[in-house]
Amino acid sequence: YRIRITHFGADDVHTARGERPPAERVQRAVVAVVPGEGLAGLYAEAGATTVLARPGEPPASGELLHAVRRAHAREVVLLPNDAELRHTAAAAAEQARAEGIRVALIPTRSAVQGIAALAVHEPERRFDEDVVAMTSAAGATRYAEVAVAAEQSWTTAGICQAGDVLGLIDGDVALIGSDVTATARTVLDRMLAAGGELVTIVLADEVPQTVAEHLESRVREAYLAVDTVVYRGGRQGALLLIGVE
């Protein structure tokens, strides 16, 4: 009796009494999970809606769903940029589809694969064609990271101790070292042994610029016609992310 319900949703715009109507949805948007503030800025400059994944704090499906809604688009391409977020992203995509949003999930496993996908994104293309192009670009990008072991553990390259520098290629530990620059160089050499045209390097805040300069010099001297781009990723889980296309 005399019950009134008012929804104060963050995305709602009330139109009563001559207020402005809701903004028209854009046709297509990209939503991406990124591991650091620097990459979040890079993705945002390219037009993506971002979700920040802090080290040890992966986003939940509700956070991804909110980002899809925030993109305010009829069609959304979702880039989880982490193999462990695939099921979380799939759950968010399914919920968004139930709300009438067309969502395509590209199973990117690293932020460098997401950069490659975003580079070929063209909103003017048909949705299916755009998704195929972005998926192909991501799949053609091999990825690696250099990180510091938090504790002693078994790896595919042997037993590592806390503080060891790990070089991971396509998600598996490929080598265990003690020096960041030397480990990154070996990882890069192994990746470029299979060919490539573009190297993408993302540095964490704590990694000095000299590391990137050394890797750029190595590529320039040893691999002709291979370009290198370097970005600052901010506070991210890995010391370096490396992508080879």
Side-chain angles (χ1 to χ4, degrees):
Y1 177 66
R2 289 186 178 176
I3 295 175
R4 179 179 179 181
I5 300 174
T6 303
H7 181 202
F8 291 101
D11 298 325
D12 290 348
V13 178
H14 301 288
T15 58
R17 299 181 182 177
E19 295 181 18
R20 61 189 180 90
E24 182 69 21
R25 286 184 179 272
V26 298
Q27 183 61 32
R28 190 174 309 156
V30 176
V31 173
V33 180
V34 290
E37 296 89 344
L39 279 178
L42 176 67
Y43 272 74
E45 286 178 11
T49 298
T50 62
V51 177
L52 189 61
R54 296 172 179 82
E57 299 179 20
S61 60
E63 192 174 353
L64 298 186
L65 177 60
H66 178 69
V68 170
R69 291 170 177 160
R70 185 158 44 91
H72 204 59
R74 299 183 184 90
E75 302 167 339
V76 171
V77 180
L78 183 55
L79 306 174
N81 291 340
D82 187 335
E84 295 184 2
L85 287 178
R86 182 173 181 178
H87 296 299
T88 301
E94 192 62 31
Q95 179 60 45
R97 293 185 189 112
E99 297 178 8
I101 304 171
R102 189 179 185 188
V103 182
L105 172 60
I106 298 179
T108 48
R109 294 172 290 174
S110 170
V112 289
Q113 288 188 323
I115 291 173
L118 201 53
V120 300
H121 168 57
E122 291 186 15
E124 296 78 18
R125 273 193 299 226
R126 290 178 52 198
F127 185 65
D128 291 341
E129 293 175 354
D130 198 28
V131 170
V132 167
M134 294 177 72
T135 303
S136 177
T141 302
R142 284 161 286 147
Y143 66 96
E145 64 180 67
V146 176
V148 176
E151 58 186 16
Q152 183 187 57
S153 62
W154 288 88
T155 76
T156 50
I159 301 175
C160 72
Q161 305 296 326
D164 283 347
V165 180
L166 307 179
L168 295 88
I169 299 177
D170 292 332
D172 294 322
V173 177
L175 69 151
I176 301 170
S178 57
D179 179 75
V180 173
T181 302
T183 301
R185 173 173 170 160
T186 302
V187 166
L188 190 56
D189 283 338
R190 290 190 185 184
M191 296 178 75
L192 286 173
E197 299 177 353
L198 175 65
V199 173
T200 301
I201 300 171
V202 182
L203 300 176
D205 278 347
E206 60 267 36
V207 179
Q209 190 65 28
T210 52
V211 174
E213 292 170 357
H214 178 85
L215 297 178
E216 286 183 287
S217 176
R218 171 63 179 169
V219 172
R220 189 166 51 248
E221 294 171 1
Y223 304 97
L224 298 177
V226 177
D227 294 323
T228 306
V229 292
V230 178
Y231 301 110
R232 277 287 174 181
R235 291 177 296 173
Q236 58 189 32
L239 297 177
L240 288 94
L241 300 177
I242 302 173
V244 174
E245 300 176 49

